[in-house]
Every structure is written in structure tokens, then in C-alpha cells.
Amino acid sequence: MESLSETTWDVIIAGTGLSQSLLALALSRSGKKVLHVDKNDYYGGADAALSLQEADSWVKGVNSESNPSLFENASITHRRQSSSEVDHPPADPRLGFSRAYSLSLSPQLIYTRSSLLSALVSSKVYRQLEFLAVGSWWIFENTASTSASGSGTAAPRCDVFLGSGRLSRIPGGREDVFADKTIDLKSKRTLMKFLKLVTDEEALVTILEEWGETPLTDFLTCYCNIVPRLQPPLVALTLSPEPPESTPTSYALPRIRRHLTSIGVFGPGFGSVIPKWGGMAEIAQVACRAGAVGGGVYILNNGVDGLDVLNMELLDDVSAYVDDAAAPFKVQLHSGEDINVKVVVGRHQDLPPPLRLSENPLRRNAVTASVSIISSPLKTLFPVVAEGAPPPAVAVVYFPNGTLSPPSASTAESHPVYIMVHSTDTGECPTGQCVLYASIRATGAAGEYSYHVLDSAVQTLLRSLEDEPSTPEVLWTLHYTRLAVSEPEKNISLAGGSKGNLLRFSDPKLDLAFDDGMLEDVRGVWRKITGETEGFLMFEERGESGEDDVEET
């Protein structure tokens, strides 16, 4: 077998994030020589799922100034046993061993109508994946705010009471609205008209032309006549990181439609799923394995350190050289090897410094997040919501902005908090525990205030679940801030120009649901490399050999 340096590679893919891994999968039957490298010693990049030990190492790497990353300000806290005999008591014994956990850095829902699921089926890798249903959606309401409706109606709810507020289950569709005895008949009719409107594609186009730039709250109040008290459950379905008064109707209505029209596609009672064993990281790893079956070579802990131009004449057009023996680049790997490459692809943090950012870096958005391991399974949050529905493995909890601050507070949190609750069925924690993924738009210096709000949301949620057999406690928490540029460039600048064979993927968006635009980015890069327009991630059966025969590098 030729060494890396003796081979002329058609493509080198830097990083094993979801975009790069899907590209490797798409190229797996193209006949191209693909080298796929990652500076990390684990798969997934910004989409990785980590054990406890890996999380400790990851935090150190994030906080190192020399390590470019989409993350910053990472820290880990443990609940420790009380002890007067030692200065640093051991961690709570209820915390399992390191590899009993697979904690996602980028937890996302996948709606059942997402093109990603179709691509996983057409590429045949779905057999290597297991998907779990997302069940109930919940909303937290302050007691003070819920008592001052002024409309004579109560919010749709299935209540779990606590001292200062309650959790209410958000109706999943028309049947739930009709069955809810806390909503008066007039309000039910109003909600039904809204649900009919938002699921009518033709009517929705007309509405967005007139109301698209209007804040969602104004549209719901002025056009739909939905009383303010009934609006927050609808807002929750948008998964918007902004407060409703700052969320445009053009953003919100398509997302509410996505949610409602996805319910029932694969079965009753749910409209979205997650992959078992670590979410998007599992898809990335399965895609990489399929790439290896197709002849791709994978090397972890060995990223791209540098790049030299060998032939300037071959830089302008991929199609001019992709099938030619010559290569325009010499790439230096972290291991010290130099390799000849025709196409270089990656996200900016996976590429050497001269190629990471354009001369005018674009504005960066940020979300503050926490991952908390809980001592209880929180079964209260996972009811089976419809006859024949699968047991849910994920619940979504929405805290509207302002609900986590006491009435006497001089300031309130300005953005909503979402918590995705993953049960032990996800394979992300030991039996008898669960994992909470909380997030909020980053605010304040270094996100400190946002961290406080997230901790408050987690504790408020745990205190609200009075039916749990034991008092749930936080055993371990990871805090971090995640970044993304607002509108990243598709190509990397080299010598003052944009070159078609240096391709950079967009930073992943900060959405809590998978954005099909990522798959379109991958399709675009695949087209540039292969020159094909049809057949993206559409494969025939391989025969008897299969992924299990792969020998990992």
C-alpha cells in the first residue's frame, strides 16, 4: 500500500463534523481518493459526543488560546460528597464511569420531514442508526403571570405544580386543543383557525407577504385574535432563541408549520426524532465508516497544519484538474507528512491560520449552553401522548423570557431558555439518570449572567417535578458558549482571490433543530468536486460486504 505522501489525493477533508462526514459519505462511491483527517482524537468535531474524561480534555482545549474553536468559556462542575476530613472530597458515587456517558455538544432535533432523513435512507446508512421519538413539549409559567390572564381562559396545560410556577404540556395538534377543558370554546375556535392557516401552504405564502416582517406577537394578536395568554405555547414551537416580540413572523410561521406537519409522518404522537448514542455525532461516525467502506482513509489526531501552492494554473476551476494527475497543493499534516492534494475542504477552525477567516470577519452569534447529568430519570416528563405512539426518549421544556425572575426583580432575563431532556433510553447516560441540555442566547460579559439563568432553569425544572420517586439532583454540569458566524463565505481567500478548489463549509447554525440548509451546502461542495448534478447520496445496495468489514485506521 502506498504511503500518504506517495499518493496524489483527489480530496482532503479537514474535520469530522457533520458537514464533512456527510461529504465523505457522498464521495464514498465517486471513485475519488479521499483523505479524511481530524486534529481531534474523536469523531464529530463541533458535533461530537463526549465521555466524561473526553469532556475534561475538551474543556482544557477550548480554553487554550492556541486552539481555534467554535466554543469558549468552558467549565465543568461536580456535585461532591460532603466530607470534613479532606479538602477535595470525591465526586458523587452516583456518577457513573466515564464511558457510560455520551454527551452531545450540539444536541438537535430532526423533524420527520427533514431531507436529512431521506438522504440517510437513500444512502443506505440508516441501517446503522437507531432513531428515538421526541415526545411532550412543556412550557413553564410563573404563578403570578398565569393568574393575571384578563381573558377568562387558562393556557392549555397538563399541570405539574410547584411553589412559584408550573409546567404545562403544550398541545400537539387539533385533537389536543379540542380535548383541553381549560380552553373556552371561543379560544378553541381561534386556535383552530390558526392551525388551519399555518398548515395551508398557499395561504401561508400570502400571509407572509403582508405580515412577514411583523413581530410574531403582533401577528398573533392583531391578525389571529389569539389572546396573549395563549401565545407562549405557539411561540415555543418555533424554537426561536429570541423573545417573541423580536421574532419575525416570517421566521416563526414556517417553523410552526414544520412542527405541526411533521407529526404523524412516522407514527402517532411525535414529529421529530434524535439518533441514539450521542445525537448528530452518531450520524457523523456512521457516515465516516461508510466513507471508509468506499475506500476513504481516516486519520484522527492529525489535522492540517499548512498548505503550499504547487500550481497556480490549477486553482481556478475544480473541473479542470479533478481528474488530472497533477495536484495544485502540498498539504502539511500535523504528523509532519507532506501530501499532494487537488481539493481542500473544511470548516475554518479545522484549517491552517492563513485560511481560517476572510480579511473582514463577519459578525458572530453566540449561545450559552449547559449539559447536566441528573440523578433521576424524570419519568414525569415522558408520558406516551397518543395511542400507538412509541415511548418518547426526549422532552422539550420552554421557559419564556422573564419567567425565571421573581416579580420583585429589577431586571429579567431577556431571552427564552430551552431545555432538551434526554432519557436513559438515548444511551447517553446510565439507567436511572437523564441528561438536560439547556441553552439561551448569550448575554452579559463572557456569558456569566446566561450561565446563571441556565442553572436557575435547571433547578426550577427539577423542583417542579414533585411526582418523582426521589428528589432529582444535578451530579455534573458542563457550561460553554458556542459561536457561529452569521453569514460565512463559501470559499476561502488565497492570494487575494477566491479559489474554487479551496472550499470552506459554513459554521453550523445554532438552531435546536437540524437545518436542511446544511445538507444543501454539502450537496453544493459535492457537485463542485464531482461535476455531477444528480445522484447525491443515492446509492445502490453494496452486496455482502458492509460496514462491519471496515478496518479502522
Side-chain angles (χ1 to χ4, degrees):
M1 178 180 177
E2 292 181 333
S3 68
L4 296 180
S5 58
E6 293 173 337
T7 302
T8 296
W9 299 92
D10 293 310
V11 184
I12 183 170
I13 304 174
T16 55
L18 187 58
S19 296
Q20 298 101 309
S21 299
L22 290 173
L23 176 63
L25 171 62
L27 293 173
S28 63
R29 303 196 189 185
S30 65
K32 307 297 181 188
K33 293 181 180 179
V34 178
L35 177 62
H36 199 166
V37 300
D38 196 315
K39 62 186 179 183
N40 301 307
D41 58 1
Y42 53 82
Y43 286 96
D47 306 297
L50 306 176
S51 67
L52 298 186
Q53 185 175 353
E54 288 170 336
D56 284 333
S57 299
W58 179 82
V59 166
K60 294 175 183 177
V62 166
N63 295 329
S64 170
E65 294 182 0
S66 62
N67 187 21
S69 175
L70 288 174
F71 303 91
E72 62 184 18
N73 302 322
S75 63
I76 291 176
T77 56
H78 296 259
R79 184 186 185 279
R80 298 187 178 275
Q81 291 178 280
S82 59
S83 174
S84 58
E85 298 180 359
V86 293
D87 294 332
H88 300 285
D92 194 301
R94 290 173 293 179
L95 198 64
F97 62 92
S98 174
R99 293 210 168 271
Y101 299 90
S102 182
L103 306 174
S104 176
L105 295 176
S106 304
Q108 287 185 313
L109 313 178
I110 307 174
Y111 277 98
T112 55
R113 293 189 181 275
S114 170
S115 58
L116 176 61
L117 296 181
S118 299
L120 295 175
V121 171
S122 65
S123 63
K124 311 304 186 222
V125 298
Y126 72 97
R127 296 188 182 93
Q128 310 299 320
L129 296 162
E130 182 177 351
F131 291 95
L132 304 170
V134 177
S136 293
W137 289 53
W138 303 82
I139 184 171
F140 179 80
E141 299 172 309
N142 276 335
T143 303
S145 63
T146 58
S147 64
S149 167
S151 66
T153 65
R157 62 177 180 263
C158 174
D159 291 326
V160 182
F161 289 95
L162 68 156
S164 59
R166 62 173 168 235
L167 285 180
S168 307
R169 192 170 69 82
I170 297 173
R174 293 182 176 88
E175 295 79 6
D176 285 349
V177 172
F178 270 125
D180 197 320
K181 297 180 180 179
T182 66
I183 309 176
D184 63 52
L185 183 58
K186 180 180 178 181
S187 295
K188 285 183 179 181
R189 289 173 177 169
T190 301
L191 288 172
M192 293 304 296
K193 288 180 180 179
F194 172 79
L195 296 179
K196 181 178 180 180
L197 169 67
V198 81
T199 54
D200 184 331
E201 187 173 4
E202 185 175 340
L204 188 60
V205 171
T206 302
I207 287 297
L208 292 181
E209 289 177 354
E210 180 179 356
W211 291 85
E213 300 306 312
T214 304
L216 177 61
T217 48
D218 291 351
F219 172 77
L220 294 177
T221 301
C222 301
Y223 184 88
C224 301
N225 296 315
I226 298 176
V227 295
R229 184 65 181 79
L230 295 175
Q231 293 180 15
L234 300 175
V235 175
L237 303 183
T238 70
L239 292 174
S240 173
E242 303 296 336
E245 60 272 16
S246 301
T247 300
T249 299
S250 59
Y251 176 96
L253 294 193
R255 283 158 176 78
I256 296 175
R257 170 184 165 80
R258 173 184 64 181
H259 180 92
L260 296 174
T261 59
S262 295
I263 296 174
V265 171
F266 293 143
F270 70 99
S272 55
V273 296
I274 69 161
K276 189 175 182 179
W277 309 115
M280 295 305 187
E282 184 67 7
I283 296 179
Q285 186 156 351
V286 166
C288 287
R289 288 180 62 82
V293 170
V297 175
Y298 284 80
I299 307 176
L300 296 180
N301 205 24
N302 193 14
V304 174
D305 277 1
L307 181 148
D308 294 327
V309 178
L310 299 179
N311 192 330
M312 291 292 294
E313 295 179 358
L314 297 176
L315 288 177
D316 293 327
D317 186 6
V318 171
S319 62
Y321 63 82
V322 74
D323 293 321
D324 191 273
F329 299 123
K330 177 177 286 186
V331 170
Q332 295 88 46
L333 299 180
H334 185 68
S335 61
E337 292 181 276
D338 292 341
I339 60 172
N340 294 329
V341 181
K342 299 176 182 178
V343 182
V344 177
V345 186
R347 289 177 180 166
H348 79 271
Q349 67 273 13
D350 295 305
L351 296 168
L355 306 178
R356 284 185 192 142
L357 295 173
S358 61
E359 293 181 1
N360 299 306
L362 300 172
R363 181 175 61 86
R364 299 175 76 85
N365 297 319
V367 165
T368 302
S370 69
V371 183
S372 299
I373 299 171
I374 307 302
S375 63
S376 167
L378 305 187
K379 293 182 179 180
T380 308
L381 296 175
F382 299 99
V384 176
V385 298
E387 184 177 354
V394 178
V396 181
V397 183
Y398 172 65
F399 291 80
N401 54 301
T403 56
L404 291 169
S405 302
S408 59
S410 58
T411 60
E413 74 281 0
S414 58
H415 293 78
V417 173
Y418 287 90
I419 299 180
M420 296 168 62
V421 186
H422 288 207
S423 77
T424 188
D425 292 340
T426 62
E428 297 174 14
C429 62
T431 301
Q433 299 179 6
C434 68
V435 181
L436 305 188
Y437 296 97
S439 63
I440 186 175
R441 179 71 79 192
T443 58
E448 297 266 345
Y449 179 69
S450 299
Y451 291 153
H452 171 76
V453 173
L454 292 183
D455 290 343
S456 175
V458 168
Q459 291 298 333
T460 298
L461 173 60
L462 298 184
R463 290 199 306 269
S464 74
L465 303 175
E466 297 179 347
D467 292 339
E468 290 296 312
S470 60
T471 302
E473 297 179 278
V474 178
L475 303 180
W476 182 99
T477 299
L478 167 66
H479 289 105
Y480 57 89
T481 297
R482 178 160 181 174
L483 308 171
V485 297
S486 56
E487 295 180 357
E489 299 175 356
K490 295 293 186 279
N491 293 333
I492 299 168
S493 294
L494 180 70
S498 184
K499 301 302 178 181
N501 57 339
L502 281 169
L503 304 171
R504 190 180 74 204
F505 280 119
S506 304
D507 283 346
K509 293 186 178 180
L510 302 175
D511 292 348
L512 294 176
F514 177 78
D515 176 18
D516 284 350
M518 173 187 285
L519 197 61
E520 290 307 305
D521 283 350
V522 176
R523 185 196 302 268
V525 173
W526 172 82
R527 284 176 173 172
K528 289 182 180 180
I529 293 173
T530 64
E532 303 289 338
T533 58
E534 302 294 333
F536 175 66
L537 288 175
M538 298 181 66
F539 301 150
E540 299 295 330
E541 298 288 351
R542 278 193 180 276
E544 296 298 324
S545 59
E547 276 81 357
D548 291 339
D549 298 326
V550 177
E551 181 177 347
E552 295 186 2
T553 303

mmCIF file of all heavy atoms in Angstrom, residues 190-191 194 197 211 214-228 230-235 238 244 249 252-253 256:
data_model
loop_
_atom_site.group_PDB
_atom_site.id
_atom_site.type_symbol
_atom_site.label_atom_id
_atom_site.label_comp_id
_atom_site.label_asym_id
_atom_site.label_seq_id
_atom_site.Cartn_x
_atom_site.Cartn_y
_atom_site.Cartn_z
ATOM 1 N N THR A 190 -60.548 29.998 17.742
ATOM 2 C CA THR A 190 -59.479 30.879 17.280
ATOM 3 C C THR A 190 -58.204 30.099 17.027
ATOM 4 O O THR A 190 -57.533 30.288 16.000
ATOM 5 C CB THR A 190 -59.212 31.973 18.328
ATOM 6 O OG1 THR A 190 -60.403 32.721 18.540
ATOM 7 C CG2 THR A 190 -58.124 32.922 17.857
ATOM 8 N N LEU A 191 -57.851 29.209 17.934
ATOM 9 C CA LEU A 191 -56.655 28.391 17.759
ATOM 10 C C LEU A 191 -56.782 27.458 16.560
ATOM 11 O O LEU A 191 -55.819 27.252 15.811
ATOM 12 C CB LEU A 191 -56.374 27.580 19.029
ATOM 13 C CG LEU A 191 -55.858 28.365 20.240
ATOM 14 C CD1 LEU A 191 -55.803 27.476 21.470
ATOM 15 C CD2 LEU A 191 -54.480 28.955 19.954
ATOM 16 N N PHE A 194 -56.068 29.276 13.431
ATOM 17 C CA PHE A 194 -54.633 29.495 13.272
ATOM 18 C C PHE A 194 -53.939 28.239 12.774
ATOM 19 O O PHE A 194 -53.111 28.289 11.858
ATOM 20 C CB PHE A 194 -54.013 29.947 14.594
ATOM 21 C CG PHE A 194 -52.518 30.018 14.557
ATOM 22 C CD1 PHE A 194 -51.870 31.091 13.983
ATOM 23 C CD2 PHE A 194 -51.745 28.982 15.081
ATOM 24 C CE1 PHE A 194 -50.488 31.149 13.923
ATOM 25 C CE2 PHE A 194 -50.364 29.031 15.034
ATOM 26 C CZ PHE A 194 -49.736 30.124 14.456
ATOM 27 N N LEU A 197 -54.628 27.771 9.181
ATOM 28 C CA LEU A 197 -53.909 28.757 8.379
ATOM 29 C C LEU A 197 -52.453 28.369 8.199
ATOM 30 O O LEU A 197 -51.915 28.378 7.089
ATOM 31 C CB LEU A 197 -54.005 30.134 9.040
ATOM 32 C CG LEU A 197 -53.092 31.236 8.477
ATOM 33 C CD1 LEU A 197 -53.518 31.586 7.060
ATOM 34 C CD2 LEU A 197 -53.121 32.459 9.374
ATOM 35 N N TRP A 211 -47.369 40.129 6.328
ATOM 36 C CA TRP A 211 -47.039 40.181 7.750
ATOM 37 C C TRP A 211 -45.642 39.670 8.070
ATOM 38 O O TRP A 211 -45.257 39.606 9.243
ATOM 39 C CB TRP A 211 -48.047 39.348 8.547
ATOM 40 C CG TRP A 211 -49.417 39.928 8.582
ATOM 41 C CD1 TRP A 211 -50.401 39.780 7.651
ATOM 42 C CD2 TRP A 211 -49.962 40.760 9.604
ATOM 43 N NE1 TRP A 211 -51.532 40.462 8.026
ATOM 44 C CE2 TRP A 211 -51.292 41.079 9.231
ATOM 45 C CE3 TRP A 211 -49.474 41.276 10.806
ATOM 46 C CZ2 TRP A 211 -52.122 41.881 10.007
ATOM 47 C CZ3 TRP A 211 -50.297 42.070 11.589
ATOM 48 C CH2 TRP A 211 -51.608 42.371 11.187
ATOM 49 N N THR A 214 -43.449 41.581 10.473
ATOM 50 C CA THR A 214 -44.118 41.963 11.717
ATOM 51 C C THR A 214 -43.700 41.029 12.851
ATOM 52 O O THR A 214 -43.541 39.822 12.631
ATOM 53 C CB THR A 214 -45.645 41.872 11.541
ATOM 54 O OG1 THR A 214 -46.027 42.694 10.439
ATOM 55 C CG2 THR A 214 -46.375 42.323 12.797
ATOM 56 N N PRO A 215 -43.483 41.528 14.058
ATOM 57 C CA PRO A 215 -43.202 40.633 15.189
ATOM 58 C C PRO A 215 -44.318 39.608 15.369
ATOM 59 O O PRO A 215 -45.497 39.898 15.148
ATOM 60 C CB PRO A 215 -43.125 41.585 16.384
ATOM 61 C CG PRO A 215 -42.736 42.899 15.789
ATOM 62 C CD PRO A 215 -43.412 42.941 14.453
ATOM 63 N N LEU A 216 -43.937 38.415 15.760
ATOM 64 C CA LEU A 216 -44.903 37.332 15.898
ATOM 65 C C LEU A 216 -46.038 37.704 16.846
ATOM 66 O O LEU A 216 -47.206 37.385 16.579
ATOM 67 C CB LEU A 216 -44.193 36.068 16.401
ATOM 68 C CG LEU A 216 -45.088 34.854 16.655
ATOM 69 C CD1 LEU A 216 -45.797 34.422 15.380
ATOM 70 C CD2 LEU A 216 -44.269 33.710 17.240
ATOM 71 N N THR A 217 -45.728 38.375 17.942
ATOM 72 C CA THR A 217 -46.763 38.733 18.902
ATOM 73 C C THR A 217 -47.827 39.636 18.275
ATOM 74 O O THR A 217 -49.022 39.475 18.545
ATOM 75 C CB THR A 217 -46.145 39.435 20.119
ATOM 76 O OG1 THR A 217 -45.243 40.457 19.664
ATOM 77 C CG2 THR A 217 -45.378 38.455 20.981
ATOM 78 N N ASP A 218 -47.403 40.564 17.425
ATOM 79 C CA ASP A 218 -48.364 41.450 16.769
ATOM 80 C C ASP A 218 -49.249 40.675 15.800
ATOM 81 O O ASP A 218 -50.460 40.918 15.701
ATOM 82 C CB ASP A 218 -47.634 42.572 16.030
ATOM 83 C CG ASP A 218 -46.970 43.555 16.960
ATOM 84 O OD1 ASP A 218 -47.208 43.473 18.181
ATOM 85 O OD2 ASP A 218 -46.188 44.405 16.486
ATOM 86 N N PHE A 219 -48.653 39.744 15.070
ATOM 87 C CA PHE A 219 -49.439 38.947 14.135
ATOM 88 C C PHE A 219 -50.474 38.100 14.865
ATOM 89 O O PHE A 219 -51.646 38.040 14.465
ATOM 90 C CB PHE A 219 -48.515 38.050 13.314
ATOM 91 C CG PHE A 219 -49.242 37.060 12.460
ATOM 92 C CD1 PHE A 219 -49.853 37.463 11.278
ATOM 93 C CD2 PHE A 219 -49.324 35.725 12.827
ATOM 94 C CE1 PHE A 219 -50.536 36.555 10.484
ATOM 95 C CE2 PHE A 219 -50.006 34.809 12.048
ATOM 96 C CZ PHE A 219 -50.618 35.228 10.870
ATOM 97 N N LEU A 220 -50.050 37.431 15.934
ATOM 98 C CA LEU A 220 -50.976 36.571 16.672
ATOM 99 C C LEU A 220 -52.109 37.380 17.302
ATOM 100 O O LEU A 220 -53.262 36.925 17.348
ATOM 101 C CB LEU A 220 -50.220 35.798 17.757
ATOM 102 C CG LEU A 220 -49.194 34.763 17.265
ATOM 103 C CD1 LEU A 220 -48.473 34.134 18.440
ATOM 104 C CD2 LEU A 220 -49.855 33.694 16.395
ATOM 105 N N THR A 221 -51.794 38.596 17.760
ATOM 106 C CA THR A 221 -52.802 39.419 18.416
ATOM 107 C C THR A 221 -53.720 40.112 17.405
ATOM 108 O O THR A 221 -54.953 40.038 17.512
ATOM 109 C CB THR A 221 -52.128 40.480 19.309
ATOM 110 O OG1 THR A 221 -51.324 39.827 20.285
ATOM 111 C CG2 THR A 221 -53.174 41.338 20.008
ATOM 112 N N CYS A 222 -53.128 40.759 16.420
ATOM 113 C CA CYS A 222 -53.900 41.618 15.517
ATOM 114 C C CYS A 222 -54.579 40.851 14.390
ATOM 115 O O CYS A 222 -55.716 41.162 14.021
ATOM 116 C CB CYS A 222 -52.999 42.705 14.933
ATOM 117 S SG CYS A 222 -52.233 43.771 16.169
ATOM 118 N N TYR A 223 -53.903 39.876 13.837
ATOM 119 C CA TYR A 223 -54.481 39.152 12.703
ATOM 120 C C TYR A 223 -55.260 37.921 13.159
ATOM 121 O O TYR A 223 -56.357 37.643 12.652
ATOM 122 C CB TYR A 223 -53.384 38.730 11.729
ATOM 123 C CG TYR A 223 -53.928 38.068 10.486
ATOM 124 C CD1 TYR A 223 -54.291 38.836 9.388
ATOM 125 C CD2 TYR A 223 -54.078 36.675 10.403
ATOM 126 C CE1 TYR A 223 -54.804 38.239 8.233
ATOM 127 C CE2 TYR A 223 -54.587 36.071 9.265
ATOM 128 C CZ TYR A 223 -54.947 36.858 8.182
ATOM 129 O OH TYR A 223 -55.466 36.268 7.057
ATOM 130 N N CYS A 224 -54.711 37.174 14.117
ATOM 131 C CA CYS A 224 -55.326 35.913 14.527
ATOM 132 C C CYS A 224 -56.258 36.052 15.722
ATOM 133 O O CYS A 224 -56.995 35.104 16.037
ATOM 134 C CB CYS A 224 -54.243 34.888 14.858
ATOM 135 S SG CYS A 224 -53.134 34.524 13.482
ATOM 136 N N ASN A 225 -56.215 37.196 16.413
ATOM 137 C CA ASN A 225 -57.050 37.426 17.603
ATOM 138 C C ASN A 225 -56.816 36.387 18.695
ATOM 139 O O ASN A 225 -57.738 36.003 19.423
ATOM 140 C CB ASN A 225 -58.540 37.444 17.216
ATOM 141 C CG ASN A 225 -58.879 38.596 16.296
ATOM 142 O OD1 ASN A 225 -58.448 39.732 16.520
ATOM 143 N ND2 ASN A 225 -59.654 38.315 15.252
ATOM 144 N N ILE A 226 -55.588 35.927 18.797
ATOM 145 C CA ILE A 226 -55.231 34.996 19.868
ATOM 146 C C ILE A 226 -54.801 35.807 21.084
ATOM 147 O O ILE A 226 -53.912 36.657 20.989
ATOM 148 C CB ILE A 226 -54.093 34.061 19.418
ATOM 149 C CG1 ILE A 226 -54.557 33.211 18.229
ATOM 150 C CG2 ILE A 226 -53.634 33.174 20.568
ATOM 151 C CD1 ILE A 226 -53.471 32.325 17.648
ATOM 152 N N VAL A 227 -55.451 35.574 22.214
ATOM 153 C CA VAL A 227 -55.160 36.352 23.410
ATOM 154 C C VAL A 227 -53.726 36.086 23.863
ATOM 155 O O VAL A 227 -53.178 34.994 23.643
ATOM 156 C CB VAL A 227 -56.146 36.011 24.545
ATOM 157 C CG1 VAL A 227 -57.558 36.424 24.169
ATOM 158 C CG2 VAL A 227 -56.087 34.536 24.895
ATOM 159 N N PRO A 228 -53.061 37.063 24.474
ATOM 160 C CA PRO A 228 -51.655 36.899 24.891
ATOM 161 C C PRO A 228 -51.421 35.661 25.737
ATOM 162 O O PRO A 228 -50.358 35.036 25.659
ATOM 163 C CB PRO A 228 -51.365 38.187 25.661
ATOM 164 C CG PRO A 228 -52.280 39.199 25.035
ATOM 165 C CD PRO A 228 -53.534 38.447 24.710
ATOM 166 N N LEU A 230 -52.542 32.750 25.475
ATOM 167 C CA LEU A 230 -52.446 31.510 24.716
ATOM 168 C C LEU A 230 -51.311 31.516 23.697
ATOM 169 O O LEU A 230 -51.132 30.550 22.958
ATOM 170 C CB LEU A 230 -53.770 31.245 23.983
ATOM 171 C CG LEU A 230 -54.977 30.979 24.886
ATOM 172 C CD1 LEU A 230 -56.235 30.849 24.053
ATOM 173 C CD2 LEU A 230 -54.759 29.730 25.727
ATOM 174 N N GLN A 231 -50.545 32.583 23.646
ATOM 175 C CA GLN A 231 -49.498 32.690 22.636
ATOM 176 C C GLN A 231 -48.194 31.947 22.965
ATOM 177 O O GLN A 231 -47.575 31.368 22.067
ATOM 178 C CB GLN A 231 -49.192 34.166 22.367
ATOM 179 C CG GLN A 231 -50.340 34.910 21.716
ATOM 180 C CD GLN A 231 -50.029 36.372 21.462
ATOM 181 O OE1 GLN A 231 -48.865 36.802 21.513
ATOM 182 N NE2 GLN A 231 -51.062 37.163 21.179
ATOM 183 N N PRO A 232 -47.727 31.933 24.223
ATOM 184 C CA PRO A 232 -46.436 31.292 24.514
ATOM 185 C C PRO A 232 -46.305 29.843 24.055
ATOM 186 O O PRO A 232 -45.233 29.461 23.547
ATOM 187 C CB PRO A 232 -46.311 31.421 26.039
ATOM 188 C CG PRO A 232 -47.076 32.675 26.349
ATOM 189 C CD PRO A 232 -48.240 32.657 25.410
ATOM 190 N N PRO A 233 -47.337 28.987 24.176
ATOM 191 C CA PRO A 233 -47.161 27.623 23.662
ATOM 192 C C PRO A 233 -46.900 27.576 22.161
ATOM 193 O O PRO A 233 -46.159 26.711 21.682
ATOM 194 C CB PRO A 233 -48.501 26.945 24.009
ATOM 195 C CG PRO A 233 -49.010 27.710 25.183
ATOM 196 C CD PRO A 233 -48.604 29.129 24.924
ATOM 197 N N LEU A 234 -47.484 28.517 21.420
ATOM 198 C CA LEU A 234 -47.219 28.577 19.986
ATOM 199 C C LEU A 234 -45.801 29.069 19.721
ATOM 200 O O LEU A 234 -45.113 28.573 18.822
ATOM 201 C CB LEU A 234 -48.229 29.506 19.306
ATOM 202 C CG LEU A 234 -49.701 29.105 19.437
ATOM 203 C CD1 LEU A 234 -50.596 30.173 18.828
ATOM 204 C CD2 LEU A 234 -49.951 27.751 18.787
ATOM 205 N N VAL A 235 -45.364 30.046 20.502
ATOM 206 C CA VAL A 235 -44.008 30.576 20.359
ATOM 207 C C VAL A 235 -42.976 29.477 20.614
ATOM 208 O O VAL A 235 -41.950 29.393 19.928
ATOM 209 C CB VAL A 235 -43.790 31.756 21.326
ATOM 210 C CG1 VAL A 235 -42.339 32.230 21.275
ATOM 211 C CG2 VAL A 235 -44.731 32.905 21.002
ATOM 212 N N THR A 238 -41.560 27.401 17.729
ATOM 213 C CA THR A 238 -40.623 27.999 16.772
ATOM 214 C C THR A 238 -39.176 27.677 17.100
ATOM 215 O O THR A 238 -38.295 27.790 16.243
ATOM 216 C CB THR A 238 -40.776 29.530 16.742
ATOM 217 O OG1 THR A 238 -40.292 30.087 17.981
ATOM 218 C CG2 THR A 238 -42.220 29.944 16.527
ATOM 219 N N PRO A 244 -40.466 36.628 21.727
ATOM 220 C CA PRO A 244 -41.466 36.668 20.651
ATOM 221 C C PRO A 244 -41.626 38.038 20.020
ATOM 222 O O PRO A 244 -41.880 38.140 18.824
ATOM 223 C CB PRO A 244 -42.755 36.209 21.339
ATOM 224 C CG PRO A 244 -42.505 36.370 22.807
ATOM 225 C CD PRO A 244 -41.050 36.155 23.002
ATOM 226 N N THR A 249 -42.482 37.242 12.042
ATOM 227 C CA THR A 249 -43.487 36.261 11.626
ATOM 228 C C THR A 249 -42.950 35.374 10.509
ATOM 229 O O THR A 249 -43.264 34.183 10.441
ATOM 230 C CB THR A 249 -44.757 36.984 11.175
ATOM 231 O OG1 THR A 249 -45.272 37.751 12.276
ATOM 232 C CG2 THR A 249 -45.826 36.009 10.718
ATOM 233 N N ALA A 252 -41.122 32.641 12.243
ATOM 234 C CA ALA A 252 -41.885 31.801 13.156
ATOM 235 C C ALA A 252 -42.873 30.870 12.464
ATOM 236 O O ALA A 252 -42.934 29.673 12.772
ATOM 237 C CB ALA A 252 -42.626 32.685 14.159
ATOM 238 N N LEU A 253 -43.668 31.382 11.535
ATOM 239 C CA LEU A 253 -44.747 30.572 10.978
ATOM 240 C C LEU A 253 -44.241 29.343 10.217
ATOM 241 O O LEU A 253 -44.810 28.251 10.370
ATOM 242 C CB LEU A 253 -45.640 31.425 10.086
ATOM 243 C CG LEU A 253 -46.450 32.527 10.792
ATOM 244 C CD1 LEU A 253 -47.517 33.083 9.857
ATOM 245 C CD2 LEU A 253 -47.089 32.027 12.084
ATOM 246 N N ILE A 256 -43.441 26.787 12.894
ATOM 247 C CA ILE A 256 -44.632 26.186 13.499
ATOM 248 C C ILE A 256 -45.253 25.191 12.521
ATOM 249 O O ILE A 256 -45.682 24.099 12.907
ATOM 250 C CB ILE A 256 -45.637 27.278 13.899
ATOM 251 C CG1 ILE A 256 -45.034 28.183 14.984
ATOM 252 C CG2 ILE A 256 -46.939 26.651 14.410
ATOM 253 C CD1 ILE A 256 -45.903 29.367 15.360
#
